[in-house]
């Protein structure tokens, strides 16, 4: 039993965690519903929802000064690399400034906080070619998104060392699963793909725009593995002041991924090729040994995770 604050808690990762935690804990969710949806959250008397932005200082001060939290998960962000290249100032406010403000509010009001978990990103590694990425690998952020995630992550971990605030960070690789919003052109690629397959199965014309030649690779990690990782990082003493890669340890190219889904659904998705996106990373795969040291096991290959996802969407 504990009290949790989840920012971005109506979004894909945040809502999955909120629904899981609200079975036994008190959970407060803050979300501006820019990408998240209230319907992602289950009806539960232990779960309350506040509509608002983490950049709203008054709102955040009010929330942080009027509750005593055991755990805070900060997921609120503009999650798209490509969007940050289009809108560096707006994305900086959300992806960086809100974090610093939250840290200061925690310093002031949340002396008993057991853990702040910050959602950083594999994007911080950039295009330095050595693979797999270890937490100590060279950092070469290529985009405003990656720079902000890295800077925010370092602030979060520094607050542990400087002020004794209990913090940890996770570097998400490419998370996918039910409730990931496909509606923006900047949505995660698997959510967009599933949306296109849905339309195709329903008999509509649908095609997928692939930026690049399809040989870029990603470590796609299923949401259930991610929840396991988040609970371990938040709960383990040894995770204090550290960052953890969250992935499966295996990568697949976009072309291979499309083949996997084509085969699972016995349908061929039409693909249109366009020039690669600015700042896009070629290859990304996690070394997950640090997380495994906390007891983590990745239970879903991309084939297994995709199958479960497609079944939950009634596509299989
Ligand atoms: C993703 C996450 C980011 C996370 C990072 C960690 C999203 C939106 N982005 O970034 O939050 O921090 O992983 O590694 O969830 N693509 C297409 N067509 C499309 C969309 C994408 O070809 O319609 C391509 C992209 O150009 C890219 C690949 O698919 O090469 C993956 O793109 P995307 O899902 O946006 O993820 P990342 O940029 O890896």
């Amino acid at each position: 039993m504990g009290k949790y604050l989840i920012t971005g808690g109506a979004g894909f990762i945040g809502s999955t965690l909120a629904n899981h935690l609200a079975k036994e804990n008190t959970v407060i969710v803050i979300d501006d519903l820019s990408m998240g949806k209230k319907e992602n959250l289950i009806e539960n008397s232990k779960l309350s929802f506040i509509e608002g932005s983490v950049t709203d200082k008054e709102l955040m001060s009010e929330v942080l000064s009027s509750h005593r939290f055991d755990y805070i998960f900060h997921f609120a962000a503009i999650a798209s690399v490509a969007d940050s290249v289009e809108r560096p100032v707006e994305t900086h406010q959300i992806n960086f400034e809100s974090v610093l403000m939250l840290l200061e509010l925690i310093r002031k009001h949340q002396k008993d906080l057991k853990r702040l978990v910050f959602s950083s990103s594999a994007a911080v590694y950039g295009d330095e070619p050595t693979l797999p990425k270890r937490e100590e690998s060279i950092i070469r952020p290529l985009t405003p998104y990656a720079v902000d995630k890295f800077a925010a992550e370092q602030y979060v971990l520094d607050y542990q060392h400087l002020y004794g605030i209990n913090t940890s960070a996770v570097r998400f690789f490419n998370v996918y699963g039910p409730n990931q919003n496909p509606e923006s052109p900047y949505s995660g690629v698997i959510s967009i793909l599933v949306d296109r397959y849905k339309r195709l199965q329903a008999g509509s014309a649908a095609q997928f725009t692939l930026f690049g030649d399809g040989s870029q690779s990603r470590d796609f990690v299923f949401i259930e593995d991610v929840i396991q990782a988040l609970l371990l990082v938040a709960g383990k003493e040894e995770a204090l002041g550290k960052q953890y890669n969250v992935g499966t340890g295996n990568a697949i190219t976009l072309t291979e991924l499309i083949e996997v889904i084509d085969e699972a659904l016995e349908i061929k998705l039409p693909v249109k090729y366009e020039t690669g996106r600015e700042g896009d990373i070629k290859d990304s795969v996690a070394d997950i040994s640090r997380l495994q040291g906390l007891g983590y096991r990745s239970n879903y290959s991309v084939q297994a995770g995709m199958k479960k996802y497609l079944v939950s969407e009634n596509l299989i």
Side-chain angles (χ1 to χ4, degrees):
M1 270 292 288
K3 191 164 188 177
Y4 288 74
L5 173 66
I6 305 184
T7 73
F12 163 46
I13 302 174
S15 66
T16 312
L17 182 69
N19 292 339
H20 177 86
L21 289 171
K23 288 176 204 150
E24 289 179 0
N25 305 278
T26 307
V27 180
I28 296 180
V29 160
I30 298 183
D31 201 297
D32 67 356
L33 301 181
S34 54
M35 283 296 277
K37 290 187 191 325
K38 254 182 109 170
E39 308 86 84
N40 287 344
L41 295 166
I42 50 170
E43 289 287 326
N44 183 324
S45 56
K46 296 217 250 357
L47 200 164
S48 46
F49 173 72
I50 300 169
E51 183 172 348
S53 169
V54 286
T55 59
D56 181 341
K57 193 166 182 189
E58 221 171 288
L59 171 70
M60 293 304 286
S61 301
E62 157 71 21
V63 173
L64 272 289
S65 61
S66 57
H67 298 271
R68 200 187 61 74
F69 293 109
D70 296 301
Y71 297 92
I72 299 177
F73 287 88
H74 188 65
F75 295 119
I78 293 184
S80 166
V81 173
D83 198 5
S84 81
V85 176
E86 291 296 319
R87 299 189 296 146
V89 176
E90 292 91 328
T91 56
H92 176 73
Q93 279 164 1
I94 295 163
N95 292 347
F96 178 77
E97 285 176 12
S98 79
V99 184
L100 191 53
M101 188 168 88
L102 176 65
L103 283 168
E104 278 299 287
L105 289 170
I106 291 173
R107 189 152 83 101
K108 195 163 170 200
H109 301 294
Q110 301 287 324
K111 295 275 181 266
D112 299 324
L113 187 71
K114 295 193 177 101
R115 198 68 58 90
L116 164 69
V117 179
F118 173 68
S119 57
S120 183
S121 167
V124 302
Y125 298 115
D127 66 349
E128 199 285 322
T130 317
L131 294 171
K133 295 301 177 191
R134 302 172 60 240
E135 287 81 354
E136 299 84 8
S137 292
I138 290 170
I139 299 295
R140 197 179 281 169
L142 291 179
T143 53
Y145 175 79
V147 173
D148 282 336
K149 282 290 182 188
F150 185 60
E153 173 201 299
Q154 292 298 302
Y155 265 93
V156 165
L157 300 181
D158 271 356
Y159 266 57
Q160 163 82 39
H161 307 302
L162 292 173
Y163 310 113
I165 291 166
N166 295 328
T167 63
S168 302
V170 285
R171 290 180 180 164
F172 288 136
F173 281 65
N174 289 60
V175 186
Y176 68 98
N179 292 340
Q180 191 171 21
N181 181 349
E183 283 158 22
S184 155
Y186 299 123
S187 294
V189 69
I190 289 189
S191 70
I192 295 176
L193 280 167
V194 168
D195 176 74
R196 300 302 180 268
Y197 280 102
K198 257 189 204 165
R199 293 185 201 196
L200 208 58
Q201 262 203 358
S204 317
Q207 80 172 359
F208 171 70
T209 305
L210 202 164
F211 300 108
D213 63 3
S215 68
Q216 64 265 56
S217 61
R218 292 291 186 275
D219 185 335
F220 290 105
V221 55
F222 190 53
I223 185 71
E224 287 184 28
D225 279 345
V226 171
I227 299 300
Q228 180 203 155
L230 288 166
L231 298 175
L232 282 169
V233 170
K236 297 270 184 183
E237 197 72 14
E238 66 187 276
L240 280 171
K242 296 202 191 83
Q243 63 283 80
Y244 289 83
N245 286 341
V246 179
T248 66
N250 294 300
I252 185 171
T253 68
L254 275 195
T255 301
E256 287 164 342
L257 172 69
I258 294 167
E259 277 165 18
V260 166
I261 314 177
D262 276 355
E263 270 172 37
L265 300 183
E266 297 171 354
I267 205 166
K268 188 145 183 56
L269 182 70
V271 175
K272 177 175 150 237
Y273 290 86
E274 280 193 13
T275 326
R277 280 171 164 171
E278 204 59 55
D280 197 40
I281 291 166
K282 177 70 174 67
D283 297 302
S284 172
V285 61
D287 178 318
I288 53 170
S289 16
R290 188 182 280 187
L291 189 60
Q292 283 171 328
L294 298 180
Y296 172 82
R297 294 292 168 266
S298 170
N299 293 320
Y300 292 91
S301 64
V302 71
Q303 288 80 0
M306 276 312 300
K307 184 141 191 228
K308 191 156 184 187
Y309 184 13
L310 295 170
V311 167
S312 78
E313 296 287 329
N314 295 319
L315 284 164
I316 307 184

